[in-house]
Amino acid sequence: MTPPRLTSSRQPLRLLQDRVATGLITAGGVGVLLAILAIGVFLIWETLPLLAIGESLALAKLSPLAWGTLKAALAALLFAIPVALGAAIYSALFMSARLRTRIKPALEMMEAIPGVVVGFIAGLILAPWVERHLASALVLMVWLPLSAGLAGLLWQLAKARLQRRLPLSWAGLWLIPWLALMVVIALWLAPWMEQLWLGGDLRQLLDQRFGMDYATRNALIVGLAMGFAVIPSIYSLAEDALADVPSTLIEGAQALGASRWQALWKVALAAAGPGIFSAVMIGAGRAVGETMIVLMASGNTALFSASPFEGMRSMAAAIAIELPEASPGGQTYHLLIFAALVLFIFTFLVNTLAEVVRQRLRRRYRQMGGTS
Amino acid sequence: MKAGKVNTASRRPRFNWLNDLWPWLCAASVALSLLMLGALLALLLVRGLGHFWPATLEEVTLRSGDTFAGHAVREVELPQQAGDERLYFTGNQDIEGARWRWVTIEEIAERAQPTDLIRLERSPWGDFIGRLSAIEQDGQRWEGDAAWHRLATLLALPASQRQESQLLLTTVDGQTLRQPLASVVSAQAPNAMSWWQKTHVWGDGVWRFLSEGPRAANTDGGVWPAIFGTVLMVILMSVMVTPFGVLAAIYLNEIAHQGRLTRLVRIGVRNLAGVPSIVYGVFGLGVFVYGIGGSLDEWFFSDTLPSPTFGTGGLLWASLTLALLTLPVVIVATEEGLARIPEAQREGAVALGATRLEMLTRIVLPMAAPAMLTGVILAVARAAGEVAPLMLVGVAKLAPQMPIDGEFPYLHLERKFMHLGYHLFDTAFHGEDVQAAIPLVYATALLLVLIVLVLNLTAIFLRHYLRRQRGNEC
């Protein structure tokens, strides 16, 4: 780059331009940051009128929604955390580097799938299917982890040539057909098992023996669907944290005689613990705020029930349904904005916590890397 | 631990439950995630594209002697007894009052696939399935094969040039119907088609889905207005978000004093990307629609009050809300790009006598341009798939007018618009005939997923390319 040749007479003009542009950028930047800040201010301002009305009414309206939100998020996390962390551990510690550069973006693509699409599949396709095949669905949940263990067992017993052909570092890929086969087997066997042990119909049994109602769109469905949506965000962050653990640490532990399990549990997980914690936090924030999936897969009944087979109504879904109809300035309007404020504060706090923890962790890794 | 007692224990370590099983559980979670993702995409692809393939029409005779024609949709186990039942799409809503028919498999006595069964797509009443017996036009009459050829030539003309004529139709159980040609959209005889013709009809169906407007309460027709609305909204949004996002990023990275406050602001901006989208919708409704829109109405459109012009959800407010929602995405991506530019470049420029503005516009911004582009693409991908905030600020299930037309001022920012994601939600959950809408919902979902995935892939490749290029430079 050759600097433009300028006569000295244009010098003041350039300086003026520079001054003006700097001012404009500053004004624009500060303006944008203020606009972002305005979100919080607006939400707080609009909830102030709530102080005038009784506390009990707001509580009566919001507590089922808060319960529904927690229940949905919990169901999603119960499904997402084991799968996401398992996937993160595998791809950070075992997967071959070549496979990893392909698989990681593919899993992160999952995050891009719009909530409406997941909600539609869950609410209109998955929910009726699970209602008709409840026993099969429950059997699948137990059978899939067992079949993964079975695969490991068979692999240990297999001949060394086969072991080389199907190495653990590629298992993420070649286990897919195995799991698909296991799903088919489970679906084929489950009705027999239901007939044999449960007297034909699990739903009837649940109703008669335990008095549990079964709603088509329930917490189980929401957990599966929202878990699917949350897995990639937990996976991505946890994988980053685990992959950044200095390899000298794990190798050192193994050189000192630790087994793979001990090296993972006592060294890698302990070192990356804060990173994994922040990943789970971010996942929780996402699960609490997700609107469309809960709206479409939960039935939207504001219930106080802990049963996994009943629906719920979350705060985000209630806002999406009721706010367009609420008259501005009315009580419902302010209550719903209060719900939005709660969501805002919760996710903001959770994300800040996660971010701070992550930054601290990064600094720690840098120190470890420096000393080794 | 019996399982581990293999004979070659001396060469193989003993099988240890913890040590040897947990990697497999972890590997299985990767496989399970990929399996779920693949299954979802495969389901959308098969059902979304399969809908347009001309289905074979069957003439079914029941044991009771009843006959009907239609195409089989799916089979489901009977609830309380053994056996399956099958769902047929039979059309003919004006004659039979219903478009669907459930039949248990045992009831069926005979199934045939006669080649003269036709399927007419009509604009009121949906599909007709049956036989064409004759066409009448100005006293002339065609029958049998001649009628079918005549219909094909008539339908090949553009709608305005078709002459007034009447179709005489018979259903398989013998009822007759007179149908004016004007209400017929298309006709096909799928059982008589060759494979090549079917492919042609399939392509035609996909094209009409993309290019036509919805019919029959969104259960039929295409999604063109929704595509148009989505694209227009996203374009408006990127026009708003790009300059402001880039300005904020430049300010944060190049001008602001890098102290504690800036670091806090940076964390705050990063966290806003994690705030639920519905919260932005609430903000948009409260501030843009009721606040700014309400005031605009009072100042400029007071003659039309109380019916609101800007004081209700509309295109402008929706794109503004989404611009705010995607602002953190653009800021973060641009900042990453700016931070990766070596300090030496900036110092070199300043040392050669450039002012800060010249340094920014000639050195820094061109180098950070791909990062900004990545940010904007990611923002667009996020905005295209976002539905919840739009439900509050201006999406409509059926917008009577397009937001762009020949009337002054051509671009109507206050109008409501249709959006692919909301269209999907609405047809799937609030439609009258969900059964009929589901194939179209699949197709819409596939379209939406494809758009979002292609945008994301573009961003990934751009970023990858950028990193590699930068790697060579430094």
Side-chain angles (χ1 to χ4, degrees):
Chain A
M1 282 251 169
T2 46
R5 276 190 206 129
L6 293 166
T7 51
S8 54
S9 64
R10 284 184 61 192
Q11 213 67 326
L13 183 68
R14 284 172 64 214
L15 288 180
L16 186 70
Q17 278 177 343
D18 184 52
R19 215 44 85 61
V20 171
T22 309
L24 279 180
I25 293 174
T26 312
V30 172
V32 167
L33 299 177
L34 283 183
I36 288 174
L37 193 69
I39 297 176
V41 175
F42 160 78
L43 291 175
I44 293 176
W45 179 254
E46 284 286 332
T47 35
L48 284 182
L50 272 189
L51 294 176
I53 65 165
E55 210 172 83
S56 57
L57 189 109
L59 213 64
K61 170 97 173 94
L62 286 180
S63 47
L65 299 183
W67 171 251
T69 311
L70 284 182
K71 186 175 161 191
L74 203 69
L77 290 179
L78 274 181
F79 172 53
I81 290 179
V83 176
L85 291 190
I89 291 174
Y90 175 72
S91 58
L93 303 179
F94 297 103
M95 202 185 271
S96 79
R98 222 175 90 214
L99 188 60
R100 192 169 156 239
T101 52
R102 298 268 183 288
I103 297 271
K104 205 176 173 216
L107 281 180
E108 282 166 351
M109 273 290 105
M110 268 170 87
E111 195 166 9
I113 291 181
V116 243
V117 175
V118 179
F120 153 66
I121 299 285
L124 284 184
I125 314 300
L126 187 66
W129 185 86
V130 171
E131 189 183 21
R132 268 182 281 120
H133 305 92
L134 181 61
S136 314
L138 294 180
V139 164
L140 263 185
M141 277 173 215
V142 182
W143 177 240
L144 279 185
L146 281 183
S147 68
L150 186 66
L153 204 64
L154 289 177
W155 189 83
Q156 293 289 338
L157 299 175
K159 294 253 163 51
R161 231 181 60 209
L162 193 67
Q163 288 186 354
R164 267 201 302 278
R165 189 74 60 77
L166 297 173
L168 177 60
S169 55
W170 286 78
L173 216 55
W174 62 256
L175 271 180
I176 296 178
W178 167 264
L179 282 186
L181 180 74
M182 287 296 144
V183 169
V184 172
I185 290 180
L187 290 186
W188 180 60
L189 281 180
W192 291 13
M193 284 155 68
E194 192 181 10
Q195 202 67 253
L196 205 63
W197 294 331
L198 302 169
D201 195 348
L202 181 60
R203 263 169 54 210
Q204 240 169 26
L205 189 82
L206 280 177
D207 192 18
Q208 284 162 3
R209 188 80 62 80
F210 305 103
M212 282 164 107
D213 283 336
Y214 187 91
T216 313
R217 294 179 187 155
N218 54 38
L220 182 72
I221 306 289
V222 172
L224 287 177
M226 205 150 69
F228 177 84
V230 169
I231 285 173
S233 36
I234 301 185
Y235 163 80
S236 167
L237 290 171
E239 210 263 0
D240 283 343
L242 279 167
D244 287 346
V245 173
S247 58
T248 44
L249 278 184
I250 299 172
E251 283 161 13
Q254 283 186 325
L256 289 173
S259 68
R260 278 199 300 193
W261 170 250
Q262 286 164 326
L264 172 89
W265 191 247
K266 300 243 169 79
V267 180
L269 278 188
I276 289 173
F277 168 78
S278 77
V280 170
M281 284 279 114
I282 298 245
R286 174 121 202 251
V288 163
E290 177 63 58
T291 314
M292 292 318 284
I293 295 179
V294 191
L295 187 64
M296 294 165 94
S298 77
N300 293 310
T301 40
L303 291 176
F304 259 120
S305 117
S307 158
F309 302 122
E310 278 181 64
M312 81 290 276
R313 181 178 203 141
S314 81
M315 291 208 248
I319 295 172
I321 298 171
E322 293 173 30
L323 196 59
E325 264 103 61
S327 65
Q331 208 177 66
T332 328
Y333 179 77
H334 289 304
L335 271 174
L336 290 171
I337 291 196
F338 180 64
L341 178 68
V342 171
L343 284 181
F344 179 74
I345 292 179
F346 179 80
T347 45
F348 205 87
L349 283 183
V350 157
N351 286 345
T352 310
L353 190 66
E355 183 69 29
V356 168
V357 165
R358 235 179 45 203
Q359 288 198 348
R360 191 162 294 172
L361 182 72
R362 210 169 293 152
R363 220 171 305 145
R364 207 170 75 190
Y365 280 160
R366 218 171 295 143
Q367 284 165 359
M368 276 186 217
T371 49
S372 62
Chain B
M1 297 243 170
K2 258 187 182 162
K5 286 197 177 169
V6 199
N7 291 338
T8 51
S10 53
R11 278 192 287 125
R12 273 184 205 193
R14 262 165 58 88
F15 189 81
N16 177 317
W17 281 109
L18 278 180
N19 208 18
D20 290 330
L21 275 190
W22 62 262
W24 295 97
L25 283 176
C26 295
S29 11
V30 170
L32 180 66
S33 312
L34 290 174
L35 187 66
M36 287 193 299
L37 181 66
L40 179 78
L41 293 181
L43 179 73
L44 288 180
L45 266 177
V46 170
R47 301 290 297 270
L49 292 179
H51 165 61
F52 301 105
W53 188 257
T56 309
L57 297 175
E58 286 179 1
E59 183 172 353
V60 181
T61 314
L62 300 181
R63 290 190 192 285
S64 59
D66 209 3
T67 56
F68 66 90
H71 71 84
V73 180
R74 60 195 156 96
E75 279 177 28
V76 173
E77 286 165 41
L78 282 169
Q80 298 297 333
Q81 41 186 324
D84 291 337
E85 59 180 345
R86 191 179 288 156
L87 177 66
Y88 278 98
F89 175 80
T90 56
N92 305 357
Q93 201 178 12
D94 45 345
I95 307 174
E96 282 153 24
R99 290 197 264 182
W100 305 90
R101 185 154 177 173
W102 285 98
V103 197
T104 54
I105 302 287
E106 286 170 9
E107 273 183 281
I108 297 175
E110 200 195 328
R111 291 158 65 188
Q113 301 177 351
T115 50
D116 59 342
L117 275 183
I118 63 159
R119 179 180 185 140
L120 286 187
E121 211 179 315
R122 304 171 299 174
S123 174
W125 296 114
D127 287 6
F128 166 86
I129 296 176
R131 293 190 172 87
L132 176 70
S133 42
I135 289 189
E136 287 177 356
Q137 184 187 358
D138 303 331
Q140 278 181 292
R141 191 180 162 95
W142 289 267
E143 282 184 19
D145 271 350
W148 176 247
H149 290 306
R150 180 70 196 159
L151 180 62
T153 44
L154 280 173
L155 284 174
L157 296 170
S160 52
Q161 294 171 20
R162 291 179 198 159
Q163 288 144 316
E164 192 55 40
S165 41
Q166 296 280 325
L167 275 63
L168 288 177
L169 304 168
T170 355
T171 63
V172 283
D173 54 353
Q175 301 186 60
T176 55
L177 175 75
R178 287 181 81 86
Q179 182 83 33
L181 180 70
S183 61
V184 176
V185 180
S186 72
Q188 44 172 276
N191 295 358
M193 278 183 201
S194 68
W195 198 81
W196 170 246
Q197 281 169 321
K198 282 188 178 181
T199 317
H200 195 75
V201 170
W202 178 82
D204 197 43
V206 172
W207 170 246
R208 283 198 295 147
F209 172 73
L210 294 177
S211 64
E212 283 181 4
R215 287 197 312 266
N218 291 0
T219 58
D220 207 350
V223 291
W224 168 243
I227 299 178
F228 186 80
T230 313
V231 169
L232 186 63
M233 193 258 313
V234 163
I235 289 177
L236 279 177
M237 180 217 77
S238 12
V239 167
M240 289 184 241
V241 79
T242 315
F244 285 107
V246 170
L247 268 188
I250 292 179
Y251 172 71
L252 272 182
N253 212 56
E254 306 283 326
I255 292 181
H257 173 67
Q258 301 296 318
R260 178 173 284 248
L261 183 67
T262 314
R263 216 173 61 225
L264 278 182
V265 167
R266 200 167 279 147
I267 289 185
V269 168
R270 214 161 272 247
N271 288 350
L272 278 173
V275 166
S277 53
I278 188 83
V279 174
Y280 289 93
V282 171
F283 179 77
L285 182 73
V287 172
F288 297 145
V289 176
Y290 291 150
I292 302 178
S295 318
L296 278 182
D297 273 1
E298 273 173 32
W299 296 335
F300 300 112
F301 301 96
S302 50
D303 44 334
T304 55
L305 281 176
S307 80
T309 311
F310 274 104
T312 176
L315 183 60
L316 177 65
W317 303 138
S319 20
L320 255 179
T321 308
L322 284 189
L324 203 61
L325 170 81
T326 50
L327 201 51
V329 181
V330 178
I331 296 182
V332 168
T334 311
E335 263 212 288
E336 261 169 29
L338 288 175
R340 208 172 290 131
I341 296 172
E343 201 58 31
Q345 300 273 0
R346 297 193 184 90
E347 283 161 4
V350 175
L352 288 172
T355 61
R356 177 145 61 184
L357 177 66
E358 285 160 353
M359 182 256 291
L360 282 178
T361 49
R362 305 217 179 146
I363 309 290
V364 173
L365 288 188
M367 286 181 82
M372 288 177 213
L373 198 58
T374 313
V376 173
I377 294 174
L378 283 178
V380 166
R382 170 126 198 242
E386 206 60 78
V387 178
L390 294 181
M391 290 168 75
L392 302 181
V393 292
V395 83
K397 69 190 295 179
L398 196 62
Q401 296 156 308
M402 292 286 240
I404 289 187
D405 60 16
E407 264 175 61
F408 186 78
Y410 309 119
L411 172 64
H412 300 271
L413 290 174
E414 80 285 358
R415 282 191 188 160
K416 289 189 186 281
F417 63 102
M418 289 179 74
H419 181 270
L420 271 179
Y422 185 73
H423 183 74
L424 194 169
F425 167 68
D426 189 72
T427 21
F429 282 78
H430 299 307
E432 300 155 28
D433 190 351
V434 175
Q435 199 69 260
I438 278 195
L440 285 181
V441 174
Y442 269 117
T444 317
L446 178 66
L447 184 63
L448 189 61
V449 167
L450 280 184
I451 291 177
V452 173
L453 285 191
V454 164
L455 282 170
N456 269 294
L457 283 177
T458 319
I460 287 182
F461 281 121
L462 201 62
R463 188 180 285 169
H464 191 73
Y465 169 77
L466 162 80
R467 282 208 181 132
R468 188 138 20 111
Q469 206 186 28
R470 191 60 30 84
N472 293 341
E473 252 173 43
C474 311

